[in-house]
Each structure stands twice: as structure tokens, then as C-alpha cells.
Short mmCIF file of all heavy atoms in Angstrom, two decimals:
data_model
loop_
_atom_site.label_atom_id
_atom_site.label_comp_id
_atom_site.label_asym_id
_atom_site.label_seq_id
_atom_site.Cartn_x
_atom_site.Cartn_y
_atom_site.Cartn_z
N MET Z 148 42.92 141.45 -106.74
CA MET Z 148 43.35 140.02 -106.97
C MET Z 148 42.68 139.50 -108.18
O MET Z 148 41.45 139.63 -108.34
CB MET Z 148 42.97 139.22 -105.71
CG MET Z 148 43.15 137.74 -105.85
SD MET Z 148 42.78 136.87 -104.39
CE MET Z 148 44.34 136.87 -103.57
N PRO Z 149 43.41 138.80 -109.02
CA PRO Z 149 42.80 138.20 -110.19
C PRO Z 149 41.73 137.09 -109.85
O PRO Z 149 41.92 136.46 -108.86
CB PRO Z 149 43.94 137.53 -110.92
CG PRO Z 149 45.12 138.24 -110.43
CD PRO Z 149 44.84 138.68 -109.02
N THR Z 150 40.68 137.05 -110.62
CA THR Z 150 39.59 136.16 -110.33
C THR Z 150 40.11 134.68 -110.24
O THR Z 150 39.57 133.93 -109.43
CB THR Z 150 38.49 136.27 -111.37
OG1 THR Z 150 38.09 137.61 -111.42
CG2 THR Z 150 37.32 135.41 -111.08
N ASP Z 151 40.96 134.29 -111.09
CA ASP Z 151 41.45 132.93 -111.07
C ASP Z 151 42.12 132.50 -109.75
O ASP Z 151 42.03 131.41 -109.22
CB ASP Z 151 42.35 132.58 -112.28
CG ASP Z 151 43.61 133.44 -112.26
OD1 ASP Z 151 43.59 134.52 -111.80
OD2 ASP Z 151 44.58 132.91 -112.86
N ARG Z 152 42.83 133.47 -109.15
CA ARG Z 152 43.44 133.23 -107.86
C ARG Z 152 42.40 133.18 -106.79
O ARG Z 152 42.48 132.27 -105.79
CB ARG Z 152 44.50 134.27 -107.53
CG ARG Z 152 45.69 134.13 -108.41
CD ARG Z 152 46.84 135.08 -108.18
NE ARG Z 152 47.39 134.89 -106.78
CZ ARG Z 152 48.06 135.74 -106.15
NH1 ARG Z 152 48.35 136.89 -106.68
NH2 ARG Z 152 48.55 135.51 -104.97
N PHE Z 153 41.43 134.01 -106.83
CA PHE Z 153 40.30 134.08 -105.87
C PHE Z 153 39.55 132.62 -105.93
O PHE Z 153 39.28 132.04 -104.93
CB PHE Z 153 39.36 135.18 -106.17
CG PHE Z 153 38.54 135.60 -104.97
CD1 PHE Z 153 38.85 136.72 -104.32
CD2 PHE Z 153 37.38 134.90 -104.69
CE1 PHE Z 153 38.10 137.18 -103.26
CE2 PHE Z 153 36.58 135.37 -103.65
CZ PHE Z 153 36.95 136.48 -102.89
N ARG Z 154 39.26 132.18 -107.18
CA ARG Z 154 38.59 131.00 -107.43
C ARG Z 154 39.39 129.75 -106.83
O ARG Z 154 38.85 128.85 -106.25
CB ARG Z 154 38.31 130.78 -108.91
CG ARG Z 154 37.43 129.60 -109.23
CD ARG Z 154 37.14 129.51 -110.67
NE ARG Z 154 36.71 130.72 -111.30
CZ ARG Z 154 35.46 131.20 -111.33
NH1 ARG Z 154 34.48 130.53 -110.72
NH2 ARG Z 154 35.14 132.32 -111.89
N ALA Z 155 40.72 129.81 -107.01
CA ALA Z 155 41.59 128.75 -106.52
C ALA Z 155 41.54 128.64 -105.06
O ALA Z 155 41.52 127.55 -104.45
CB ALA Z 155 43.06 128.96 -106.99
N ILE Z 156 41.49 129.72 -104.34
CA ILE Z 156 41.39 129.69 -102.85
C ILE Z 156 40.06 129.06 -102.42
O ILE Z 156 40.05 128.25 -101.52
CB ILE Z 156 41.46 131.14 -102.26
CG1 ILE Z 156 42.92 131.69 -102.54
CG2 ILE Z 156 41.16 131.11 -100.81
CD1 ILE Z 156 43.03 133.16 -102.20
N PHE Z 157 38.97 129.42 -103.18
CA PHE Z 157 37.69 128.77 -102.86
C PHE Z 157 37.69 127.27 -103.19
O PHE Z 157 37.06 126.48 -102.42
CB PHE Z 157 36.51 129.43 -103.63
CG PHE Z 157 35.86 130.51 -102.84
CD1 PHE Z 157 36.45 131.78 -102.70
CD2 PHE Z 157 34.68 130.27 -102.15
CE1 PHE Z 157 35.87 132.80 -102.00
CE2 PHE Z 157 34.07 131.26 -101.42
CZ PHE Z 157 34.62 132.50 -101.36
N GLU Z 158 38.35 126.83 -104.20
CA GLU Z 158 38.48 125.43 -104.58
C GLU Z 158 39.08 124.66 -103.43
O GLU Z 158 38.59 123.60 -103.09
CB GLU Z 158 39.27 125.19 -105.83
CG GLU Z 158 38.56 125.61 -107.12
CD GLU Z 158 37.39 124.64 -107.45
OE1 GLU Z 158 37.37 123.49 -106.98
OE2 GLU Z 158 36.44 125.12 -108.10
N VAL Z 159 40.13 125.15 -102.84
CA VAL Z 159 40.79 124.40 -101.81
C VAL Z 159 40.01 124.58 -100.41
O VAL Z 159 39.77 123.53 -99.79
CB VAL Z 159 42.25 124.99 -101.60
CG1 VAL Z 159 42.93 124.42 -100.31
CG2 VAL Z 159 43.11 124.66 -102.78
N ASN Z 160 39.74 125.75 -100.03
CA ASN Z 160 39.14 125.94 -98.68
C ASN Z 160 37.69 125.68 -98.59
O ASN Z 160 37.20 125.46 -97.46
CB ASN Z 160 39.47 127.40 -98.18
CG ASN Z 160 40.87 127.59 -97.91
OD1 ASN Z 160 41.67 126.71 -97.82
ND2 ASN Z 160 41.28 128.80 -97.75
N VAL Z 161 36.96 125.68 -99.64
CA VAL Z 161 35.52 125.47 -99.57
C VAL Z 161 35.09 124.20 -100.26
O VAL Z 161 34.62 123.25 -99.57
CB VAL Z 161 34.73 126.63 -100.11
CG1 VAL Z 161 33.17 126.37 -100.09
CG2 VAL Z 161 35.03 127.93 -99.36
N PHE Z 162 35.35 124.07 -101.53
CA PHE Z 162 34.89 122.96 -102.28
C PHE Z 162 35.57 121.63 -101.99
O PHE Z 162 34.95 120.60 -101.91
CB PHE Z 162 34.83 123.28 -103.81
CG PHE Z 162 33.96 124.44 -104.10
CD1 PHE Z 162 34.42 125.62 -104.62
CD2 PHE Z 162 32.59 124.29 -103.95
CE1 PHE Z 162 33.65 126.72 -104.90
CE2 PHE Z 162 31.69 125.39 -104.21
CZ PHE Z 162 32.26 126.57 -104.70
N ALA Z 163 36.84 121.64 -101.84
CA ALA Z 163 37.63 120.43 -101.49
C ALA Z 163 37.14 119.90 -100.13
O ALA Z 163 36.97 118.69 -99.90
CB ALA Z 163 39.11 120.64 -101.54
N THR Z 164 36.96 120.81 -99.17
CA THR Z 164 36.52 120.51 -97.89
C THR Z 164 35.08 119.93 -97.89
O THR Z 164 34.86 118.85 -97.33
CB THR Z 164 36.55 121.70 -96.91
OG1 THR Z 164 37.87 122.26 -96.85
CG2 THR Z 164 36.09 121.31 -95.55
N LEU Z 165 34.20 120.53 -98.68
CA LEU Z 165 32.86 119.98 -98.82
C LEU Z 165 32.89 118.58 -99.45
O LEU Z 165 32.17 117.76 -98.95
CB LEU Z 165 32.03 120.96 -99.65
CG LEU Z 165 30.56 120.58 -99.96
CD1 LEU Z 165 29.81 120.45 -98.57
CD2 LEU Z 165 29.90 121.61 -100.82
N GLU Z 166 33.65 118.41 -100.47
CA GLU Z 166 33.69 117.07 -101.09
C GLU Z 166 34.25 116.02 -100.13
O GLU Z 166 33.72 114.89 -100.07
CB GLU Z 166 34.50 117.10 -102.31
CG GLU Z 166 33.86 117.90 -103.50
CD GLU Z 166 34.76 118.10 -104.73
OE1 GLU Z 166 35.87 117.61 -104.69
OE2 GLU Z 166 34.28 118.75 -105.62
N SER Z 167 35.25 116.38 -99.34
CA SER Z 167 35.77 115.46 -98.30
C SER Z 167 34.77 115.09 -97.30
O SER Z 167 34.60 113.88 -96.89
CB SER Z 167 36.98 116.07 -97.67
OG SER Z 167 38.01 116.25 -98.55
N VAL Z 168 34.01 116.07 -96.87
CA VAL Z 168 32.91 115.85 -95.88
C VAL Z 168 31.87 114.92 -96.44
O VAL Z 168 31.32 114.04 -95.73
CB VAL Z 168 32.41 117.16 -95.30
CG1 VAL Z 168 31.14 116.95 -94.53
CG2 VAL Z 168 33.46 117.89 -94.47
N GLN Z 169 31.43 115.18 -97.66
CA GLN Z 169 30.39 114.42 -98.27
C GLN Z 169 30.82 112.97 -98.41
O GLN Z 169 30.03 112.00 -98.13
CB GLN Z 169 29.99 114.96 -99.62
CG GLN Z 169 29.22 116.24 -99.54
CD GLN Z 169 28.92 116.87 -100.85
OE1 GLN Z 169 29.63 116.63 -101.81
NE2 GLN Z 169 27.87 117.68 -100.92
N PHE Z 170 32.06 112.71 -98.77
CA PHE Z 170 32.63 111.35 -98.88
C PHE Z 170 32.60 110.64 -97.54
O PHE Z 170 32.13 109.51 -97.36
CB PHE Z 170 34.02 111.41 -99.45
CG PHE Z 170 34.74 110.14 -99.41
CD1 PHE Z 170 34.56 109.24 -100.49
CD2 PHE Z 170 35.66 109.78 -98.44
CE1 PHE Z 170 35.18 108.01 -100.56
CE2 PHE Z 170 36.28 108.57 -98.48
CZ PHE Z 170 36.05 107.68 -99.52
N THR Z 171 33.04 111.38 -96.52
CA THR Z 171 33.09 110.85 -95.15
C THR Z 171 31.67 110.58 -94.61
O THR Z 171 31.44 109.58 -93.96
CB THR Z 171 33.88 111.79 -94.21
OG1 THR Z 171 35.16 111.95 -94.75
CG2 THR Z 171 33.98 111.22 -92.79
N ALA Z 172 30.81 111.54 -94.86
CA ALA Z 172 29.36 111.37 -94.36
C ALA Z 172 28.76 110.14 -94.90
O ALA Z 172 28.04 109.44 -94.18
CB ALA Z 172 28.60 112.61 -94.70
N ARG Z 173 28.97 109.82 -96.20
CA ARG Z 173 28.38 108.60 -96.77
C ARG Z 173 28.85 107.38 -96.00
O ARG Z 173 28.09 106.46 -95.74
CB ARG Z 173 28.72 108.51 -98.26
CG ARG Z 173 27.81 109.50 -99.09
CD ARG Z 173 27.97 109.18 -100.59
NE ARG Z 173 29.14 109.68 -101.18
CZ ARG Z 173 29.39 110.93 -101.54
NH1 ARG Z 173 28.46 111.84 -101.32
NH2 ARG Z 173 30.53 111.33 -102.10
N LYS Z 174 30.10 107.31 -95.71
CA LYS Z 174 30.69 106.19 -94.98
C LYS Z 174 30.09 106.12 -93.58
O LYS Z 174 29.83 104.98 -93.07
CB LYS Z 174 32.21 106.26 -94.93
CG LYS Z 174 32.91 106.12 -96.27
CD LYS Z 174 34.35 105.77 -96.09
CE LYS Z 174 34.99 105.46 -97.39
NZ LYS Z 174 34.66 104.08 -97.82
N LEU Z 175 29.92 107.23 -92.89
CA LEU Z 175 29.38 107.25 -91.58
C LEU Z 175 27.94 106.78 -91.57
O LEU Z 175 27.45 106.06 -90.67
CB LEU Z 175 29.50 108.59 -90.94
CG LEU Z 175 30.96 109.06 -90.64
CD1 LEU Z 175 30.95 110.43 -90.08
CD2 LEU Z 175 31.65 108.12 -89.77
N VAL Z 176 27.18 107.15 -92.62
CA VAL Z 176 25.76 106.72 -92.76
C VAL Z 176 25.72 105.24 -92.83
O VAL Z 176 24.92 104.54 -92.24
CB VAL Z 176 25.05 107.47 -93.88
CG1 VAL Z 176 23.72 106.83 -94.24
CG2 VAL Z 176 24.90 108.96 -93.56
N LYS Z 177 26.56 104.62 -93.72
CA LYS Z 177 26.63 103.20 -93.90
C LYS Z 177 26.92 102.49 -92.62
O LYS Z 177 26.40 101.42 -92.26
CB LYS Z 177 27.61 102.85 -94.97
CG LYS Z 177 27.13 103.11 -96.39
CD LYS Z 177 28.18 102.61 -97.38
CE LYS Z 177 27.81 103.02 -98.79
NZ LYS Z 177 28.79 102.63 -99.76
N LYS Z 178 27.89 103.11 -91.90
CA LYS Z 178 28.29 102.58 -90.58
C LYS Z 178 27.25 102.65 -89.50
O LYS Z 178 27.21 101.88 -88.54
CB LYS Z 178 29.59 103.21 -90.13
CG LYS Z 178 30.31 102.59 -89.05
CD LYS Z 178 31.67 103.36 -88.79
CE LYS Z 178 32.50 102.71 -87.70
NZ LYS Z 178 33.74 103.35 -87.51
N GLY Z 179 26.42 103.68 -89.63
CA GLY Z 179 25.38 103.95 -88.66
C GLY Z 179 25.75 104.76 -87.45
O GLY Z 179 24.92 104.94 -86.52
N LYS Z 180 26.92 105.30 -87.55
CA LYS Z 180 27.36 106.17 -86.42
C LYS Z 180 28.56 106.98 -86.85
O LYS Z 180 29.21 106.72 -87.81
CB LYS Z 180 27.69 105.37 -85.17
CG LYS Z 180 28.83 104.42 -85.36
CD LYS Z 180 29.12 103.64 -84.05
CE LYS Z 180 30.28 102.69 -84.24
NZ LYS Z 180 30.60 102.00 -83.02
N GLY Z 181 28.89 107.97 -86.06
CA GLY Z 181 30.04 108.80 -86.24
C GLY Z 181 29.79 110.26 -86.17
O GLY Z 181 28.61 110.64 -86.14
N GLU Z 182 30.77 111.04 -86.17
CA GLU Z 182 30.63 112.53 -86.09
C GLU Z 182 31.64 113.22 -87.02
O GLU Z 182 32.70 112.65 -87.20
CB GLU Z 182 30.89 113.03 -84.60
CG GLU Z 182 29.88 112.56 -83.61
CD GLU Z 182 30.23 113.06 -82.20
OE1 GLU Z 182 30.87 114.13 -82.11
OE2 GLU Z 182 29.77 112.45 -81.30
N ILE Z 183 31.24 114.32 -87.47
CA ILE Z 183 32.14 115.20 -88.31
C ILE Z 183 32.27 116.48 -87.52
O ILE Z 183 31.29 117.11 -87.19
CB ILE Z 183 31.59 115.42 -89.69
CG1 ILE Z 183 31.48 114.10 -90.49
CG2 ILE Z 183 32.48 116.43 -90.46
CD1 ILE Z 183 30.76 114.20 -91.80
N VAL Z 184 33.48 116.88 -87.26
CA VAL Z 184 33.76 118.11 -86.52
C VAL Z 184 34.54 119.02 -87.45
O VAL Z 184 35.47 118.69 -88.03
CB VAL Z 184 34.59 117.84 -85.28
CG1 VAL Z 184 34.99 119.10 -84.49
CG2 VAL Z 184 33.92 116.81 -84.34
N PHE Z 185 33.96 120.27 -87.54
CA PHE Z 185 34.62 121.27 -88.35
C PHE Z 185 35.46 122.16 -87.46
O PHE Z 185 35.07 122.65 -86.45
CB PHE Z 185 33.57 122.22 -88.98
CG PHE Z 185 32.82 121.58 -90.09
CD1 PHE Z 185 31.66 120.87 -89.86
CD2 PHE Z 185 33.36 121.61 -91.43
CE1 PHE Z 185 30.99 120.24 -90.91
CE2 PHE Z 185 32.64 120.99 -92.50
CZ PHE Z 185 31.48 120.35 -92.25
N LEU Z 186 36.69 122.44 -87.89
CA LEU Z 186 37.61 123.39 -87.26
C LEU Z 186 37.98 124.36 -88.30
O LEU Z 186 38.36 124.06 -89.38
CB LEU Z 186 38.84 122.68 -86.72
CG LEU Z 186 38.62 121.67 -85.59
CD1 LEU Z 186 39.93 121.00 -85.24
CD2 LEU Z 186 38.03 122.29 -84.41
N SER Z 187 37.84 125.65 -87.98
CA SER Z 187 38.15 126.68 -88.91
C SER Z 187 38.96 127.71 -88.14
O SER Z 187 39.54 127.48 -87.13
CB SER Z 187 36.84 127.35 -89.45
OG SER Z 187 37.17 128.17 -90.53
N SER Z 188 39.07 128.91 -88.76
CA SER Z 188 39.92 129.96 -88.14
C SER Z 188 39.02 131.20 -87.89
O SER Z 188 37.93 131.30 -88.39
CB SER Z 188 41.06 130.27 -89.05
OG SER Z 188 40.64 130.91 -90.19
N MET Z 189 39.51 132.03 -87.12
CA MET Z 189 38.81 133.30 -86.85
C MET Z 189 38.82 134.25 -88.09
O MET Z 189 38.16 135.30 -88.09
CB MET Z 189 39.44 134.03 -85.65
CG MET Z 189 39.23 133.38 -84.34
SD MET Z 189 37.50 133.13 -83.87
CE MET Z 189 37.06 134.90 -83.58
N ALA Z 190 39.51 133.88 -89.11
CA ALA Z 190 39.59 134.67 -90.29
C ALA Z 190 38.25 134.86 -90.93
O ALA Z 190 38.02 135.73 -91.77
CB ALA Z 190 40.60 134.11 -91.27
N GLY Z 191 37.28 133.98 -90.60
CA GLY Z 191 35.94 134.16 -91.20
C GLY Z 191 35.20 135.34 -90.52
O GLY Z 191 34.18 135.83 -91.07
N ILE Z 192 35.76 135.83 -89.42
CA ILE Z 192 35.11 136.91 -88.73
C ILE Z 192 35.97 138.12 -88.71
O ILE Z 192 35.49 139.29 -88.88
CB ILE Z 192 34.82 136.51 -87.21
CG1 ILE Z 192 33.91 135.23 -87.24
CG2 ILE Z 192 34.15 137.61 -86.48
CD1 ILE Z 192 33.78 134.64 -85.91
N ILE Z 193 37.27 137.90 -88.60
CA ILE Z 193 38.22 139.06 -88.49
C ILE Z 193 39.29 138.82 -89.61
O ILE Z 193 39.77 137.70 -89.69
CB ILE Z 193 38.94 139.05 -87.10
CG1 ILE Z 193 37.88 139.22 -85.98
CG2 ILE Z 193 40.01 140.17 -87.02
CD1 ILE Z 193 38.47 138.90 -84.62
N THR Z 194 39.58 139.83 -90.32
CA THR Z 194 40.66 139.64 -91.31
C THR Z 194 41.67 140.71 -91.25
O THR Z 194 41.57 141.66 -90.46
CB THR Z 194 39.99 139.63 -92.74
OG1 THR Z 194 41.03 139.22 -93.70
CG2 THR Z 194 39.45 140.97 -93.13
N THR Z 195 42.67 140.64 -92.06
CA THR Z 195 43.77 141.59 -92.12
C THR Z 195 43.76 142.24 -93.50
O THR Z 195 43.05 141.81 -94.40
CB THR Z 195 45.11 140.92 -91.84
OG1 THR Z 195 45.35 139.92 -92.84
CG2 THR Z 195 45.19 140.30 -90.46
N LEU Z 196 44.64 143.21 -93.71
CA LEU Z 196 44.81 143.86 -94.96
C LEU Z 196 45.13 142.76 -96.01
O LEU Z 196 45.98 141.93 -95.79
CB LEU Z 196 45.85 144.92 -94.88
CG LEU Z 196 46.05 145.84 -96.15
CD1 LEU Z 196 44.77 146.61 -96.42
CD2 LEU Z 196 47.22 146.75 -95.89
N TYR Z 197 44.47 142.76 -97.14
CA TYR Z 197 44.61 141.81 -98.23
C TYR Z 197 44.19 140.39 -97.88
O TYR Z 197 44.46 139.46 -98.64
CB TYR Z 197 46.07 141.76 -98.71
CG TYR Z 197 46.60 143.13 -99.09
CD1 TYR Z 197 47.66 143.73 -98.38
CD2 TYR Z 197 46.07 143.83 -100.19
CE1 TYR Z 197 48.08 144.99 -98.71
CE2 TYR Z 197 46.56 145.08 -100.54
CZ TYR Z 197 47.56 145.67 -99.78
OH TYR Z 197 48.02 146.94 -100.15
N GLY Z 198 43.56 140.17 -96.72
CA GLY Z 198 43.16 138.88 -96.37
C GLY Z 198 41.70 138.56 -96.74
O GLY Z 198 41.19 137.51 -96.29
N GLY Z 199 41.05 139.44 -97.45
CA GLY Z 199 39.64 139.31 -97.73
C GLY Z 199 39.28 137.99 -98.43
O GLY Z 199 38.35 137.32 -98.01
N PRO Z 200 40.01 137.59 -99.54
CA PRO Z 200 39.62 136.31 -100.22
C PRO Z 200 39.71 135.09 -99.28
O PRO Z 200 38.79 134.29 -99.23
CB PRO Z 200 40.68 136.23 -101.31
CG PRO Z 200 41.00 137.65 -101.60
CD PRO Z 200 41.00 138.33 -100.27
N TYR Z 201 40.79 135.08 -98.46
CA TYR Z 201 40.95 133.92 -97.52
C TYR Z 201 39.85 133.97 -96.49
O TYR Z 201 39.21 132.99 -96.19
CB TYR Z 201 42.25 134.01 -96.85
CG TYR Z 201 42.48 132.96 -95.80
CD1 TYR Z 201 42.83 131.64 -96.19
CD2 TYR Z 201 42.37 133.19 -94.47
CE1 TYR Z 201 42.96 130.65 -95.18
CE2 TYR Z 201 42.60 132.22 -93.49
CZ TYR Z 201 42.88 130.95 -93.90
OH TYR Z 201 43.04 129.97 -92.95
N ALA Z 202 39.53 135.13 -95.95
CA ALA Z 202 38.51 135.33 -94.99
C ALA Z 202 37.15 134.94 -95.56
O ALA Z 202 36.33 134.33 -94.86
CB ALA Z 202 38.46 136.75 -94.49
N ALA Z 203 36.91 135.27 -96.79
CA ALA Z 203 35.63 134.88 -97.44
C ALA Z 203 35.45 133.36 -97.42
O ALA Z 203 34.41 132.84 -97.19
CB ALA Z 203 35.59 135.39 -98.80
N THR Z 204 36.58 132.59 -97.69
CA THR Z 204 36.47 131.14 -97.74
C THR Z 204 36.19 130.64 -96.30
O THR Z 204 35.44 129.63 -96.18
CB THR Z 204 37.73 130.49 -98.36
OG1 THR Z 204 38.82 130.70 -97.48
CG2 THR Z 204 37.98 130.96 -99.73
N LYS Z 205 36.78 131.19 -95.37
CA LYS Z 205 36.62 130.69 -93.99
C LYS Z 205 35.18 131.02 -93.53
O LYS Z 205 34.58 130.20 -92.80
CB LYS Z 205 37.62 131.30 -93.06
CG LYS Z 205 39.04 130.91 -93.33
CD LYS Z 205 39.13 129.41 -93.09
CE LYS Z 205 40.01 128.64 -93.97
NZ LYS Z 205 40.07 127.25 -93.75
N HIS Z 206 34.70 132.15 -93.86
CA HIS Z 206 33.28 132.49 -93.48
C HIS Z 206 32.32 131.52 -94.19
O HIS Z 206 31.35 131.12 -93.63
CB HIS Z 206 32.97 133.93 -93.83
CG HIS Z 206 31.70 134.41 -93.28
ND1 HIS Z 206 31.46 134.53 -91.90
CD2 HIS Z 206 30.49 134.62 -93.83
CE1 HIS Z 206 30.30 134.93 -91.68
NE2 HIS Z 206 29.62 134.99 -92.83
N ALA Z 207 32.57 131.24 -95.47
CA ALA Z 207 31.73 130.32 -96.17
C ALA Z 207 31.66 128.99 -95.53
O ALA Z 207 30.60 128.37 -95.39
CB ALA Z 207 32.22 130.22 -97.65
N SER Z 208 32.83 128.51 -95.07
CA SER Z 208 32.91 127.23 -94.43
C SER Z 208 32.13 127.25 -93.10
O SER Z 208 31.58 126.19 -92.68
CB SER Z 208 34.36 126.80 -94.18
OG SER Z 208 35.05 126.73 -95.40
N ARG Z 209 32.16 128.33 -92.38
CA ARG Z 209 31.45 128.45 -91.09
C ARG Z 209 29.91 128.22 -91.28
O ARG Z 209 29.23 127.80 -90.37
CB ARG Z 209 31.61 129.86 -90.47
CG ARG Z 209 32.99 130.01 -89.86
CD ARG Z 209 33.10 131.32 -89.15
NE ARG Z 209 32.28 131.33 -87.95
CZ ARG Z 209 31.31 132.21 -87.68
NH1 ARG Z 209 31.15 133.20 -88.42
NH2 ARG Z 209 30.59 132.12 -86.51
N GLU Z 210 29.42 128.57 -92.46
CA GLU Z 210 27.91 128.52 -92.60
C GLU Z 210 27.36 127.16 -92.79
O GLU Z 210 26.20 126.99 -92.83
CB GLU Z 210 27.58 129.41 -93.87
CG GLU Z 210 27.87 130.91 -93.66
CD GLU Z 210 27.25 131.46 -92.32
OE1 GLU Z 210 26.06 131.25 -92.18
OE2 GLU Z 210 27.96 132.09 -91.61
N TRP Z 211 28.22 126.16 -92.86
CA TRP Z 211 27.77 124.74 -92.98
C TRP Z 211 27.24 124.20 -91.68
O TRP Z 211 26.50 123.25 -91.62
CB TRP Z 211 28.81 123.87 -93.43
CG TRP Z 211 29.43 124.07 -94.79
CD1 TRP Z 211 28.83 124.88 -95.76
CD2 TRP Z 211 30.60 123.66 -95.27
NE1 TRP Z 211 29.64 124.90 -96.84
CE2 TRP Z 211 30.75 124.16 -96.61
CE3 TRP Z 211 31.67 122.88 -94.79
CZ2 TRP Z 211 31.86 123.89 -97.39
CZ3 TRP Z 211 32.77 122.58 -95.58
CH2 TRP Z 211 32.83 123.12 -96.90
N HIS Z 212 27.60 124.83 -90.57
CA HIS Z 212 27.29 124.23 -89.26
C HIS Z 212 25.77 124.41 -88.99
O HIS Z 212 25.17 125.23 -88.81
CB HIS Z 212 28.11 124.86 -88.16
CG HIS Z 212 29.53 124.83 -88.49
ND1 HIS Z 212 30.48 125.57 -87.82
CD2 HIS Z 212 30.26 124.17 -89.40
CE1 HIS Z 212 31.65 125.34 -88.20
NE2 HIS Z 212 31.56 124.52 -89.22
#
């Protein structure tokens, strides 16, 4: 898989999610309450043929908890 496609998958599944959570967390801190719940897929643990790049992004997201 070309590196630019691999990077694009990380931009969406890891970095965009992280930026969204940081934005939301700042609002919750100002409010003084709230929760952030992460939902992911089993692809971070189990993958299929050619699913490695996607699985890598899901595993990376799991490590935030």
C-alpha cells in the first residue's frame, strides 16, 4: 500500500478523532461535567487479509483509554 494512502487512513481514524475529542474535552472541562465514550471495532485486535492499515488505526485508537 502506498504511504500516502496509509497516512490518509491514520488522518481520518486517529488524528481527526483525537482532535474531535480534544475539542469536546475542553467544552466539558468548562462545563464541569461530562463523559467521553470511545467506541471502536475489533479490527484493532483481529484483522483480515489486506486489512492491516485499517487495523493499525483501530489499535492506535484503543490505546487512548
Side-chain angles (χ1 to χ4, degrees):
M148 172 179 271
T150 303
D151 61 330
R152 290 183 63 197
F153 202 100
R154 189 177 311 276
I156 294 170
F157 266 82
E158 283 294 333
V159 172
N160 289 347
V161 178
F162 298 114
T164 302
L165 179 59
E166 289 173 4
S167 297
V168 167
Q169 289 175 336
F170 175 82
T171 302
R173 284 191 283 281
K174 292 199 173 282
L175 295 177
V176 168
K177 284 182 184 177
K178 192 175 183 179
K180 63 179 181 177
E182 294 181 24
I183 297 174
V184 178
F185 287 91
L186 297 177
S187 190
S188 68
M189 292 298 294
I192 301 169
I193 302 167
T194 190
T195 59
L196 187 61
Y197 305 114
Y201 177 78
T204 66
K205 293 297 146 179
H206 189 69
S208 298
R209 285 185 70 233
E210 295 306 312
W211 296 342
H212 307 167

